[in-house]
Amino acid sequence: MITLVPVGELRHIEGFSQKRVDWLTAKIVAEQVWNKPIVVDSEYLLVMDGQHRMEVARRLGLILVPAMKYRYTEVEIWSLRDNHDVTTEAVIERALTAEIYPYKTVKHAFPQPIPSVSYSLDQL
């Protein structure tokens, strides 16, 4: 289920690429459509998928962003880096203390595919 969540309450779990944010911002502004929801932890609004889209939303001054919510107990997680242990508890603790993982560290497998959406930027 897609819900609109407040951009100001979202929290990163890992870093992001500024170059990717620049590219994605230009794409979304040109199309004037937000077409993919972010995926967040339902308890703390930690961004599981969509670090770049979160930054685009901030940059554009959006109030809300479409999102799918999951509890971490519903999601499989692992690390893309051998030198980082990734557990649900560690991800949450690091995000809440703003000691996020490096870019491209945490990977998630969701119970269902992330669907396309279509929200005009004026709606957000």
Side-chain angles (χ1 to χ4, degrees):
M1 180 170 145
I2 306 296
T3 60
L4 295 176
V5 298
V7 173
E9 294 180 20
L10 299 174
R11 296 173 187 249
H12 283 295
I13 64 164
E14 64 183 7
F16 56 89
S17 160
Q18 193 60 55
K19 186 176 180 178
R20 176 90 173 146
V21 172
D22 294 344
W23 173 83
L24 189 56
T25 300
K27 179 182 182 302
I28 290 172
V29 167
E31 295 173 353
Q32 288 293 297
V33 173
W34 192 280
N35 58 22
K36 186 174 181 184
I38 61 172
V39 182
V40 298
D41 160 71
S42 58
E43 187 173 356
Y44 300 106
L45 295 184
L46 308 180
V47 178
M48 298 176 177
D49 183 72
Q51 309 302 318
H52 297 98
R53 283 173 275 140
M54 173 183 164
E55 284 301 307
V56 170
R58 286 177 169 176
R59 182 182 283 184
L60 297 178
L62 302 181
I63 305 299
L64 301 169
V65 67
M68 294 179 69
K69 292 182 179 180
Y70 288 107
R71 291 185 309 275
Y72 256 107
T73 56
E74 299 174 287
V75 175
E76 180 185 349
I77 64 171
W78 66 94
S79 179
L80 295 174
R81 298 173 184 258
D82 292 337
N83 60 340
H84 286 281
D85 288 327
V86 173
T87 65
T88 298
E89 295 79 15
V91 170
I92 293 169
E93 181 179 339
R94 289 178 69 130
L96 294 179
T97 59
E99 294 193 29
I100 61 176
Y101 286 97
Y103 178 48
K104 294 281 187 188
T105 298
V106 183
K107 188 72 176 161
H108 297 82
F110 303 109
Q112 56 187 307
I114 302 169
S116 295
V117 295
S118 184
Y119 287 87
S120 73
L121 293 185
D122 294 339
Q123 292 176 282
L124 305 172

